[in-house]
Amino acid sequence: MLEIKNLHASVEGKEILRGINMTVNPGEVHAIMGPNGAGKSTLSNVLAGREGYEVTQGEVIYKGENLLDLEPEERAQRGVFLAFQYPVEIPGVSNIYLLKAALNAVRKYQGLDEVDAIDFLNLVRDRMKLVKMDEQFLHRNVNEGFSGGEKKRNEILQMAVLEPALAILDETDSGLDIDALRVVAEGVNALRAEDRSIVMITHYQRLLDHIVPDFVHVLSEGKIVKSGDKELAKELEKSGYSWVHDAPEGQTA
Amino acid sequence: MKQLTEITTPFGEVASAKTLPGSELGWLQQLRDKARAQFERHGLPAKKVEDWKYTSLWALSQQGFSHDAKAVSLDKTELSHVAALEDAYRFVIVDGRFSAELSELEGLEEGLSIKPLVDGLEGAQTMLGEQIDVEKPGLNAINTMLMHEGMVLQVQAGKTINKPVELLVISTAENQKLASHLRNLIQLEADAEVTLLEHYVSLADTEGFTDVVTEVKLAEKATLNHFKLQHESLAHYHIATLASKQAAGSHWHTNNISLGGKLARNDIHSQLLGEEAHVTMDGLYLVTGDQHVDNHTRIDHAVPNTTSDEVYKGVLDGNSHAVFNGKVNVHKDAQKTDSSQSNKNLLLSRSCEIDTKPELEIYADDVKCAHGSTVGQIDEQHLFFLRARGLDETAARSLLTYAFAVDVLQRIKSAPMRQALSNVIEKRLPKGA
C-alpha cells in the first residue's frame, strides 16, 4: 500500500525529516508517536502534498506510483485521505456540497458517473450515524462555528463518505474530551477494513486505547527510532519520550 | 440661452430636441433647459472632482456615440433566453426604444400601472427630477436633457403586487455605438409593495452606452424590493443613478449586481426622511479583463429611528479596477440611527486594483453605526483543504470564489430571484465548479 524510503524533507531550509523508512500493508493500522517537534505533522503534510515542504531525498511509493510526483488532488482521487489536525472553517461552502464535490472528484477519477442524488443522501445519512452527527450539520458551512469535537467528527465523516484506501489521521485526538474521543474512535474503528490502511499520528497514547494499532513507531528528530506493537505505546506512556533519544537507531519491527 | 433644438453632447449629436418626449410640456422644457445650462457650465466631471477621482469619463467622451437607433425586431424565443425571470411582467427596451410587442404587460394585477416614459410624463411633474440633484457632478444633467425612453411604474396604496416586474434593457448588434438616455420613475403609494428587477444586457459584443436614472418615491410603509443586474458587453459603458426619497416606515431593499461593461458606474442614494424607514443596499461586482466598475452609495439618515444595512462584495480578476465609496450621513437630529456597512473584496490576480472608502459622518450622539472594508485573496489553507479532498485547483478556486460572494445572494429573500441571479453569477465564475 505505502512504502516510505529514506524520506528527507525540509521546511524553509531546515531539515525536519531525516530518513524515514516505513512500510504499510493493506489492512494495517500504524501509529506514529513522538514528542513535539519530532516531525509528525511534517510527515503527514508531505504525504498529503501541502506546499512549503521540500523533499530533499527519498521516495514514497503508494500503490506502485511515486506519491510525491502527484498534486494533492491527484493523491486524494487515488484514495489518500488526510484528516487534518486543525480542520479549517470555510464560510459559504456547505458540508453537503463539499461531500458531494469530493465524492464526485474521486468517482470521476475512477471513471464513474456523478453520484445519484438519492443514493448520495442515503450514503451520507448512513455515514453520519457512524460519527453520531445530526443531519443539520449537512447544511451548515464546513466547520463554521463547530466545536473542536464536531470538527474532528466532520473529518471522519468525510473519510467515511470517501472510503479512502489510505487514511492519515493527524492528531485526531487533540482537543477532544473523552466522550468526543470515543465517538471519533468508534467511527474510525468501523472503517477498519482489509483493503484500507490507517496511519495515526499522535502525541498521546490515549487514542491508542480506543483505536488499537497493529504497529507503533516512535519518531524523534525526524527519524523512526523504535518500532514495535501496541505494547510499545504503553511503555511510552509509562516512561515518556525522554528515553527515545538514547535508543539505538534504525530498529524496526 | 440657446434654443433647445440642436444639442451637441460629448457623446455625439442629437438630431433634434423636438423629437424628445414631453416637448409640449412647459415644466419639462424648463427642467431640460436648466439641466442643459448646468451641463454647459460644468461639462463632464473631471478626475479632480472627489466623487470621480478613480473613474475617468475621458474615453467615454471620445467614442462618438450616435443617438439615432434603427428599429430592431427580435423574436420572442430569443428574448426568453435573455430574460432573467420566468414568471414576471416584462417591460422591454431594445436599443433605446420601448418594444410593446416584446413586453409582457397584459393583465397587470389591480393597482399596478406600467407605462413607457412618453405616456407617463403627464402628471409626473411632482415626481420627475425630485429624487435627484441635477447639479451634482455626473450625468444627471445630461440624462435630464436627453432622456427619451424609460419605464413609469406606479403601485396604488395598499396593493401588494405578487408577480415581479422585469425591466429588460437590451443592446443588440444592429446598433453599434448607440447612446441611450433612460429615465425610470417608480412610485409606490402608502403600504404598497412590489419587486422590480432592472436588467441590462447586450446580445453581442456591442459597443454602446447606457445612461440611466431611476427615481424611486416611497410613501409611508411602502416596500420596494429593487434588484439590478448589469450584464452588458465588455465594450459597453453604463452610468446609472438610483435615488430614493423614503417616507416613514418605508423599506427599500436594493441589490445591485455588476458583471458587465467596460465601464460601469452606479450612484445609489437613499434619503431616509421619515421615522422607521429602512434601506438595504447590497451589491456584488465581478470584474475581469480591463473592466472598470465604480459604486458610489450614499445614505442620509435625516430623522430619528431609521435603519440601514449595506453589504457590498467584489471579486476582481485580470487587470480590472473596482471602486467602492459608501457614505453614511447621520444628520443632527437623527437619534437612534442604526447603520451597518461593509465592503469586502477578493482579489484573484496581482494586477487588479480596488479603491474602497467607507465614509461615516455622524452629527447625532445616540446612534449605532458600524462600517468596515477588507481586501483579501483566496486563503491558501482553504485551497489546500479542498484539493486534499480531491477538487482540482481550478474547481477549488471557483468554489471558494462563489463561497465568498454567496452571502450577498443569500440575503435575497425571494427564492426565484435568488435562483435567477445565482445562475447568472455561477456562469461568470472561473471555470471548474
Side-chain angles (χ1 to χ4, degrees):
Chain A
M1 179 74 72
L2 181 74
E3 202 176 343
I4 303 174
K5 295 181 194 165
N6 191 30
L7 182 64
H8 290 247
S10 304
V11 180
E12 291 169 357
K14 189 174 173 232
E15 188 169 54
I16 309 285
L17 301 183
R18 302 173 183 194
I20 302 229
N21 290 290
M22 190 177 162
T23 300
V24 179
N25 294 309
E28 291 177 354
V29 176
H30 290 242
I32 298 176
M33 302 184 69
N36 291 330
K40 300 193 298 292
S41 283
T42 298
L43 177 60
S44 65
N45 283 322
V46 166
L47 293 179
R50 193 190 283 271
E51 277 179 31
Y53 296 83
E54 195 196 348
V55 174
T56 51
Q57 257 192 75
E59 57 179 4
V60 178
I61 305 297
Y62 167 75
K63 290 186 171 177
E65 270 186 290
N66 190 346
L67 192 71
L68 303 176
D69 287 345
L70 301 175
E71 295 292 335
E73 59 269 30
E74 293 173 324
R75 302 179 195 197
Q77 289 157 11
R78 284 159 176 75
V80 178
F81 180 90
L82 172 66
F84 286 79
Q85 181 178 3
Y86 303 110
V88 289
E89 300 189 7
I90 308 192
V93 178
S94 70
N95 240 346
I96 189 151
Y97 188 94
L98 168 73
L99 289 169
K100 201 169 181 180
L103 182 60
N104 281 331
V106 173
R107 290 176 64 93
K108 191 175 170 190
Y109 172 75
Q110 293 170 340
L112 298 172
D113 287 340
E114 291 204 347
V115 63
D116 170 80
I118 293 166
D119 292 347
F120 173 70
L121 213 56
N122 288 337
L123 171 75
V124 171
R125 283 187 179 135
D126 178 63
R127 300 303 146 93
M128 288 188 94
K129 287 182 203 144
L130 280 184
V131 284
K132 298 187 168 55
M133 274 173 87
D134 190 273
E135 219 171 293
Q136 53 126 335
F137 283 96
L138 284 180
H139 302 285
R140 286 174 57 180
N141 289 334
V142 175
N143 294 327
E144 197 178 43
F146 286 25
S147 71
E150 286 162 353
K151 286 181 185 173
K152 294 298 175 81
R153 277 195 270 166
N154 205 24
E155 293 290 291
I156 304 305
L157 171 64
Q158 290 158 30
M159 173 179 163
V161 169
L162 296 175
E163 302 181 323
L166 172 66
I168 302 153
L169 312 182
D170 189 3
E171 305 271 3
T172 291
D173 52 328
S174 69
L176 296 186
D177 63 31
I178 187 65
D179 293 328
L181 177 64
R182 201 170 285 138
V183 172
V184 166
E186 279 170 16
V188 174
N189 283 329
L191 294 169
R192 289 178 79 150
E194 274 179 18
D195 54 355
R196 177 171 302 131
S197 308
I198 297 174
V199 175
M200 290 186 286
I201 291 172
T202 179
H203 186 90
Y204 299 104
Q205 194 260 337
R206 66 170 191 162
L207 177 66
L208 311 188
D209 290 340
H210 299 275
I211 308 170
V212 180
D214 301 307
F215 300 96
V216 176
H217 310 273
V218 179
L219 188 66
S220 174
E221 294 180 346
K223 284 184 180 180
I224 288 173
V225 293
K226 197 167 170 61
S227 296
D229 62 12
K230 63 188 181 195
E231 297 306 319
L232 176 58
K234 290 186 176 143
E235 220 173 288
L236 286 171
E237 180 76 354
K238 262 184 275 167
S239 48
Y241 287 111
S242 56
W243 60 271
V244 296
H245 300 292
D246 311 323
E249 286 182 7
Q251 198 179 318
T252 50
Chain B
M1 193 171 287
K2 284 184 234 169
Q3 283 295 98
L4 192 62
T5 47
E6 297 291 313
I7 304 173
T8 304
T9 78
F11 318 120
E13 298 274 327
V14 176
S16 170
K18 285 196 175 133
T19 62
L20 292 171
S23 57
E24 73 288 0
L25 299 170
W27 62 269
L28 183 57
Q29 283 313 317
Q30 278 179 12
L31 206 61
R32 290 199 195 263
D33 287 348
K34 186 183 158 196
R36 182 175 177 181
Q38 168 68 20
F39 180 71
E40 284 176 351
R41 264 197 310 278
H42 298 286
L44 289 174
K47 285 188 90 173
K48 65 179 189 226
V49 174
E50 182 64 25
D51 276 348
W52 291 86
K53 188 174 170 183
Y54 298 106
T55 296
S56 167
L57 295 182
W58 187 82
L60 171 68
S61 72
Q62 300 303 305
Q63 295 293 317
F65 288 108
S66 145
H67 290 85
D68 291 319
K70 58 182 172 200
V72 175
S73 63
L74 294 175
D75 66 35
K76 280 220 165 192
T77 49
E78 201 170 349
L79 193 78
S80 66
H81 301 301
V82 179
L85 298 173
E86 260 176 48
D87 192 20
Y89 302 117
R90 229 181 308 282
F91 186 98
V92 181
I93 294 173
V94 179
D95 287 342
R97 292 182 183 191
F98 168 63
S99 165
E101 303 76 58
L102 295 175
S103 296
E104 287 174 42
L105 299 169
E106 301 294 311
L108 296 182
E109 285 164 64
E110 196 196 330
L112 174 65
S113 147
I114 301 177
K115 292 175 190 165
L117 183 69
V118 64
D119 297 333
L121 283 171
E122 194 145 6
Q125 190 171 358
T126 57
M127 171 76 191
L128 198 148
E130 285 298 304
Q131 335 297 319
I132 60 162
D133 177 3
V134 88
E135 292 180 4
K136 194 178 163 211
L139 269 67
N140 285 349
I142 284 193
N143 186 278
T144 303
M145 277 162 70
L146 300 177
M147 58 187 173
H148 56 83
E149 189 56 273
M151 179 178 81
V152 178
L153 181 152
Q154 285 170 307
V155 185
Q156 282 172 12
K159 300 292 184 191
T160 294
I161 306 305
N162 294 311
K163 234 193 215 191
V165 178
E166 180 171 358
L167 165 61
L168 183 55
V169 179
I170 301 173
S171 300
T172 75
E174 302 299 314
N175 284 292
Q176 290 286 342
K177 295 232 171 192
L178 178 71
S180 302
H181 304 275
L182 310 177
R183 176 71 61 106
N184 303 308
L185 303 175
I186 315 296
Q187 190 166 10
L188 273 61
E189 293 177 2
D191 276 312
E193 178 168 355
V194 70
T195 296
L196 167 66
L197 170 65
E198 292 185 46
H199 185 188
Y200 300 85
V201 64
S202 304
L203 294 186
D205 297 334
T206 317
E207 284 185 68
F209 173 35
T210 305
D211 154 38
V212 55
V213 172
T214 299
E215 294 190 70
V216 174
K217 192 169 180 181
L218 300 178
E220 285 76 18
K221 294 188 179 168
T223 298
L224 176 62
N225 305 305
H226 195 165
F227 299 86
K228 175 173 176 179
L229 175 59
Q230 189 276 115
H231 199 192
E232 287 149 324
S233 88
L234 296 180
H236 202 90
Y237 292 83
H238 181 101
I239 297 188
T241 289
L242 200 59
S244 177
K245 285 187 176 165
Q246 296 186 237
S250 65
H251 284 220
W252 191 30
H253 299 291
T254 69
N255 197 312
N256 165 34
I257 297 175
S258 304
L259 304 176
K262 181 181 179 64
L263 185 154
R265 160 85 178 216
N266 290 292
D267 281 86
I268 305 182
H269 186 192
S270 160
Q271 297 182 61
L272 301 165
L273 302 178
E275 293 200 26
E276 313 290 337
H278 171 81
V279 62
T280 308
M281 276 192 194
D282 284 357
L284 177 63
Y285 39 95
L286 262 74
V287 280
T288 187
D290 292 318
Q291 285 186 278
H292 180 105
V293 61
D294 179 346
N295 286 304
H296 269 62
T297 69
R298 179 180 173 120
I299 299 166
D300 279 287
H301 293 269
V303 297
N305 294 308
T306 58
T307 54
S308 64
D309 185 9
E310 178 168 12
V311 176
Y312 261 78
K313 286 200 162 186
V315 178
L316 287 75
D317 204 348
N319 297 315
S320 64
H321 184 186
V323 181
F324 174 80
N325 182 290
K327 282 198 183 78
V328 175
N329 201 320
V330 181
H331 294 225
K332 193 164 122 284
D333 299 319
Q335 305 297 358
K336 306 285 180 193
T337 289
D338 188 340
S339 164
S340 90
Q341 179 194 68
S342 89
N343 172 234
K344 293 183 176 167
N345 296 281
L346 179 65
L347 309 188
L348 298 177
S349 76
R350 289 182 164 275
S351 48
C352 54
E353 179 182 336
I354 170 75
D355 293 287
T356 172
K357 186 175 173 194
E359 280 185 70
L360 200 49
E361 285 184 32
I362 305 174
Y363 301 100
D365 53 21
D366 182 14
V367 301
K368 200 167 107 188
C369 292
H371 68 152
S373 64
T374 64
V375 179
Q377 292 161 313
I378 290 216
D379 187 314
E380 290 298 321
Q381 304 278 342
H382 292 174
L383 193 60
F384 178 66
F385 174 80
L386 292 178
R387 295 180 71 192
R389 291 293 173 263
L391 277 72
D392 67 46
E393 188 169 348
T394 312
R397 283 187 185 277
S398 181
L399 177 57
L400 290 172
T401 303
Y402 185 77
F404 169 83
V406 77
D407 61 344
V408 171
L409 297 171
Q410 283 168 347
R411 284 162 63 92
I412 299 172
K413 291 192 190 85
S414 150
M417 186 69 74
R418 188 169 58 238
Q419 195 56 51
L421 297 176
S422 301
N423 290 347
V424 176
I425 286 163
E426 278 174 38
K427 282 187 203 137
R428 267 298 297 273
L429 292 174
K431 287 187 290 282

